[in-house]
């Protein structure tokens, strides 16, 4: 079984994305073929395309926040069937001690499964007409985050495919697989924020907005640090307080607002200066959760005395420490209950307009960009999206 599909191919680091006709091999025994209805655009996709992971193979199809409809399943798959609506999350081995202990976000093979852009047997499901040999074909690296969902169709690792309620629109469901579960899970699974505590969230993008929603859902006081005025306005309308990230008196303003620093700080920005700022924003016995990716080799300067004598705790959090079968349905319930206002956070773009989507995010014009493959384009620039 081989399908003719359309995919965004990145030829080499820094080359951007080009809509390209490809062929997709059908699913192996432990895979699921999904017709992609929507796929979120994440900073990780943009950073990888720019080349910050030098060992990643090219040409490659990226994309790791896919949602769609199951078209076929491998022989070993029994938790989804053709016609199911699904969210696709990151892969995991299911055999290491972290997977067995219920901590699959820290799977010992996670980096290999996410970034090798190959199946475990070394193959790829993607190919295209050869650029050098007339009539020949060449491989295209796929299986990024177990899916490569910047495409009309994807072959996904079954362990990362989660069925969802068909009533949830796919363009709202797509970010659940990474950005939303990372932000929500950091607050609920890792920090375990409680009613009445103070949470500072640095950055109001896809991850940050989910962190804000999660903290508000338990009755916490939330302060958002964000440079975009339109994003600050949206955060305020949801119930958060805000501080301009560009304020020269940011730390003092935040300490005045929170009475000496926050109980929890969620840092969604990987820039080292911002990480150092996050430590300063925490109060005594405060917890700082790092969820924004930094380029490999980055270094942060920390005063150990600040951690020791103030009792601050600094930790990294991967994928919101999610357990997919538990957390994805819980996020759908949160949306149904009005606790996760995705309609106000998502802006949609045609799949081929990924550069425009990235620019809109960079300019602060949208909180979460979601791309729609050709077969799902409605002729709508922002179905359900926030337009500042």
């Amino acid at each position: 079984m081989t399908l003719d599909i359309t995919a965004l191919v990145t030829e080499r680091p820094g080359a951007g994305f080009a809509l390209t006709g490809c062929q997709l091999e059908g699913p192996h025994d432990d895979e699921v073929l999904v017709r992609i209805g929507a796929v979120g655009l994440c900073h990780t996709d943009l950073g990888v395309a720019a080349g910050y992971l030098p060992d990643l193979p090219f040409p490659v199809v990226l994309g790791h926040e896919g949602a769609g409809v199951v078209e076929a399943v491998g022989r070993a798959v029994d938790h989804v069937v053709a016609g199911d609506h699904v969210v696709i999350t990151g892969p995991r081995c299911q055999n290491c001690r972290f997977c067995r202990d219920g901590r699959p976000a820290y799977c010992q093979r996670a980096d290999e499964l996410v970034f090798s852009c190959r199946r475990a047997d070394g193959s790829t499901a993607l190919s295209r007409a050869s650029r050098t040999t007339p009539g020949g074909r060449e491989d295209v690296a796929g299986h990024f985050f177990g899916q490569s969902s910047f495409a009309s169709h994807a072959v996904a690792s079954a362990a990362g495919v989660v069925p969802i309620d068909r009533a949830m629109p796919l363009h709202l469901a797509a970010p659940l697989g990474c950005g939303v579960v990372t932000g929500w899970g950091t607050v609920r699974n890792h920090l375990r924020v409680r009613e009445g505590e103070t949470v500072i969230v640095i950055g109001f993008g896809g991850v940050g907005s989910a962190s804000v929603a999660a903290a508000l859902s338990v009755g916490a006081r939330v302060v958002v640090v964000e440079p975009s005025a339109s994003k600050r306005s949206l955060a305020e309308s949801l119930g958060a307080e805000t501080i301009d990230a560009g304020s020269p008196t940011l730390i003092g303003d935040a300490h005045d607002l929170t009475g000496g620093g926050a109980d929890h700080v969620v840092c969604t920005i990987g820039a080292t200066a911002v990480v150092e700022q996050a430590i300063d924003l925490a109060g005594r016995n405060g917890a700082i959760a790092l969820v924004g990716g930094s380029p490999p080799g980055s270094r942060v300067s920390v005063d150990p005395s600040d951690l020791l004598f103030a009792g601050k705790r600094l930790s990294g959090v991967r994928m919101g420490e999610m357990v997919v079968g538990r957390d994805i349905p819980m996020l759908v319930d949160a949306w149904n209950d009005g606790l996760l206002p995705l309609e106000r956070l998502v802006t949609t773009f045609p799949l081929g307009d990924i550069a425009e989507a990235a620019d809109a995010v960079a300019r602060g014009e949208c909180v979460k960009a979601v791309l729609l493959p050709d077969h799902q384009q409605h002729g709508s620039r922002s179905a359900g999206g926030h337009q500042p």
Side-chain angles (χ1 to χ4, degrees):
M1 174 185 180
T2 303
L3 290 177
D4 291 324
I5 71 166
T6 301
L8 288 174
V9 175
T10 299
E11 294 291 337
R12 60 190 180 280
F17 305 86
L19 274 176
T20 305
C22 294
Q23 285 194 319
L24 182 69
E25 180 184 76
H28 283 190
D29 288 353
D30 59 349
E31 294 178 331
V32 178
L33 173 64
V34 180
R35 175 167 53 87
I36 300 298
V39 53
L41 175 61
C42 178
H43 286 292
T44 299
D45 298 307
L46 299 175
V48 169
Y52 83 65
L53 291 179
D55 295 332
L56 196 91
F58 288 85
V60 65
V61 175
L62 302 173
H64 67 281
E65 290 185 344
V69 181
V70 174
E71 292 206 336
V73 302
R75 290 180 296 180
V77 179
D78 58 10
H79 71 291
V80 293
V81 298
D84 281 350
H85 288 208
V86 296
V87 166
I88 314 173
T89 69
R92 57 199 187 280
C93 76
Q94 304 184 84
N95 295 315
C96 72
R97 68 184 182 93
F98 293 100
C99 287
R100 294 195 307 269
D101 289 348
R103 294 176 289 166
Y106 300 110
C107 170
Q108 288 178 307
R109 293 185 59 200
D111 289 347
E112 169 196 346
L113 296 172
V114 165
F115 298 120
S116 69
C117 296
R118 298 278 173 174
R119 294 180 169 116
D121 64 6
S123 67
T124 175
L126 281 164
S127 65
R128 67 180 180 186
S130 173
R131 300 297 178 92
T132 58
T133 305
R137 301 203 63 77
E138 61 185 17
D139 285 348
V140 175
H143 310 279
F144 181 68
F145 273 78
Q147 55 186 285
S148 287
S149 46
F150 281 168
S152 60
H153 297 74
V155 165
S157 170
V161 175
V162 185
I164 61 169
D165 186 343
R166 295 189 185 193
M168 186 171 198
L170 292 175
H171 72 283
L172 300 182
L176 301 185
C178 180
V180 171
V181 78
T182 295
W184 188 283
T186 295
V187 169
R188 300 288 291 269
N189 297 337
H190 179 77
L191 295 173
R192 299 182 183 274
V193 173
R194 296 175 295 181
E195 182 179 3
E197 292 185 322
T198 301
V199 182
I200 290 179
V201 178
I202 304 177
F204 193 73
V207 175
S209 59
S211 300
V212 169
L216 290 172
S217 75
V218 298
R221 181 187 181 191
V222 181
V223 179
V224 172
V225 176
E226 165 61 47
S228 165
S230 63
K231 287 185 177 182
R232 292 199 304 272
S233 177
L234 177 58
E236 290 167 4
S237 74
L238 298 179
E241 300 166 77
T242 65
I243 300 175
D244 185 348
S247 170
T249 58
L250 169 60
I251 303 300
D253 293 345
H255 279 237
D256 289 344
L257 193 60
T258 58
D263 297 305
H264 307 278
V265 179
V266 180
C267 183
T268 73
I269 310 298
T272 56
V274 179
V275 173
E276 292 169 1
Q277 191 178 70
I279 298 170
D280 291 336
L281 289 170
R284 296 183 69 82
N285 204 219
I288 306 102
L290 306 182
V291 298
S294 302
S298 300
R299 293 291 182 268
V300 173
S301 182
V302 178
D303 181 352
S305 296
D306 190 28
L307 300 182
L308 173 62
F309 295 112
K312 296 182 183 181
R313 290 153 289 150
L314 176 65
S315 59
V317 187
R318 185 162 185 160
M319 294 294 290
E321 298 180 348
M322 73 170 173
V323 177
V324 294
R326 175 197 70 197
D327 289 351
I328 298 300
M330 179 270 296
L331 289 170
V332 175
D333 289 342
W335 170 74
N336 270 317
D337 294 341
L339 300 175
L340 184 57
L342 292 166
E343 293 90 343
R344 302 188 64 188
L345 305 175
V346 166
T347 303
T348 61
F349 300 79
L351 182 65
D353 289 351
I354 185 171
E356 180 185 347
D359 287 345
V361 171
R363 292 192 300 265
E365 294 175 1
C366 72
V367 174
K368 181 63 182 181
V370 171
L371 308 173
L372 305 180
D374 291 345
H375 60 77
Q376 279 288 318
Q377 289 178 19
H378 322 295
S380 172
R381 166 63 173 74
S382 69
H386 164 61
Q387 289 295 313

